[in-house]
Amino acid sequence: MFPIRDHNPSGRVPYVTYALIAANIGVFLSYWHLFQDGYALGGFFYDWALTPVRLGEGEALHTLVTSMFLHGGLMHLAGNMLFLFIFGDNLEDEMGHGGFLAFYLASGIGAALAQAFSAPWSEVPMVGASGAIAGVMGGYLLLFPKARVDVLIILVIFFKVLPVPAWIMLGIWFGLQLFNGVGTDAAAAGVAYWAHAGGFVVGLGLTVPLWLKLGGPSFWQRTHGHPPHPEARYRVSTTRVPRAGHRRNR
């Protein structure tokens, strides 16, 4: 189950969102060739990925930022960029270009610190924009809790696109991060669950001043939790599969 789009069009071109997507893709392509050499890739991640034990010793502070532009594989990159593309433009629309960039970086740094604090002795390098994007999702939840998000549900061979309110989709996602974070060893897990949960909380908290500026609870009352503008409408068509007939032999 994962989102493919929302019904919340932005009122301006999200230049920063597009630039962040381009930057993440460009950085990934710059070291793509290292995936053929595990030793070289390990050295690269040692220099630029965030390692909690090194951070705790006051080393490699720059990795708080650089790690959020690195990814461990093509699918890791694609999934993160899809989430950023869906949710980033609306926050940039409300925060402005510069404000959104500062918000994104602050969410990413907060997420990295949350993961580091969960396992300060870990020597496993952490990479990915997931924490910063989790912050975007937290801010989106606060501003547009009832915005419709089209979610693709895959059950073996069954495919269904289902529009659901943002609070359901994002709430389930956040709950899964907490559940997995509590149930796994942060130092050994292959997914930085506490970075996701931490980034989400940081992003939600950083969006509170904007929410209050917009009116706080009265903003929700005016919009009923929906975007403060007409929602986008998409036409979903189903593929018709011809019915196979049975031939009766005589």
Side-chain angles (χ1 to χ4, degrees), residues 25 28 71 73-85:
I25 294 174
F28 181 77
H71 289 85
L74 186 59
M75 294 305 297
H76 186 203
L77 172 69
N80 278 343
M81 295 305 99
L82 174 63
F83 274 70
L84 179 56
F85 178 77

Side-chain angles (χ1 to χ4, degrees), residues 185-200:
D185 182 359
V191 179
Y193 293 113
W194 288 115
H196 298 171
F200 191 94

Side-chain angles (χ1 to χ4, degrees), residues 180-234:
N180 288 315
V182 172
T184 58
D185 182 359
V191 179
Y193 293 113
W194 288 115
H196 298 171
F200 191 94
V201 172
V202 169
L204 193 151
L206 291 175
T207 311
V208 168
L210 173 60
W211 176 66
L212 293 175
K213 181 179 179 180
L214 293 172
S218 64
F219 174 69
W220 281 346
Q221 292 174 359
R222 292 195 311 270
T223 64
H224 302 288
H226 291 274
H229 47 255
E231 293 187 345
R233 296 184 179 275
Y234 303 106

Side-chain angles (χ1 to χ4, degrees), residues 2-243:
F2 57 93
I4 57 174
R5 64 191 175 195
D6 65 357
H7 293 245
N8 191 358
S10 58
R12 70 176 87 184
V13 179
Y15 294 112
V16 172
T17 298
Y18 292 161
L20 288 170
I21 292 174
N24 277 277
I25 294 174
V27 170
F28 181 77
L29 292 177
S30 73
Y31 67 88
W32 168 258
H33 63 285
L34 296 180
F35 281 92
Q36 306 299 322
D37 184 343
Y39 182 81
L41 182 64
F44 178 81
F45 281 162
Y46 180 84
D47 290 335
W48 303 107
L50 185 144
T51 306
V53 68
R54 294 186 66 202
L55 188 68
E57 295 173 351
E59 299 179 7
L61 297 180
H62 63 280
T63 60
L64 285 167
V65 175
T66 58
S67 62
M68 71 178 80
F69 290 92
L70 306 178
H71 289 85
L74 186 59
M75 294 305 297
H76 186 203
L77 172 69
N80 278 343
M81 295 305 99
L82 174 63
F83 274 70
L84 179 56
F85 178 77
I86 293 173
F87 300 110
D89 61 332
N90 299 115
L91 252 65
E92 183 174 348
D93 198 11
E94 297 293 337
M95 295 179 174
H97 304 305
F100 176 70
L101 178 60
F103 166 86
Y104 180 90
L105 295 175
S107 295
I109 292 173
L113 290 173
Q115 183 65 27
F117 288 150
S118 71
W121 58 88
S122 175
E123 297 181 356
V124 179
M126 184 184 73
V127 297
S130 306
I133 296 169
V136 173
M137 294 161 65
Y140 191 102
L141 175 62
L142 181 62
L143 296 183
F144 317 111
K146 293 187 178 180
R148 291 198 302 164
V149 179
D150 285 345
V151 176
L152 176 62
I153 300 175
I154 303 176
L155 297 174
V156 189
I157 61 172
F158 174 78
F159 297 83
K160 177 68 175 179
V161 175
L162 182 67
V164 299
W167 71 268
I168 293 179
M169 181 262 153
L170 296 176
I172 291 175
W173 183 89
F174 179 66
L176 288 173
Q177 308 314 305
L178 288 178
F179 177 81
N180 288 315
V182 172
T184 58
D185 182 359
V191 179
Y193 293 113
W194 288 115
H196 298 171
F200 191 94
V201 172
V202 169
L204 193 151
L206 291 175
T207 311
V208 168
L210 173 60
W211 176 66
L212 293 175
K213 181 179 179 180
L214 293 172
S218 64
F219 174 69
W220 281 346
Q221 292 174 359
R222 292 195 311 270
T223 64
H224 302 288
H226 291 274
H229 47 255
E231 293 187 345
R233 296 184 179 275
Y234 303 106
R235 183 177 180 180
V236 179
S237 59
T238 58
T239 301
R240 294 185 177 181
V241 178
R243 181 179 300 175

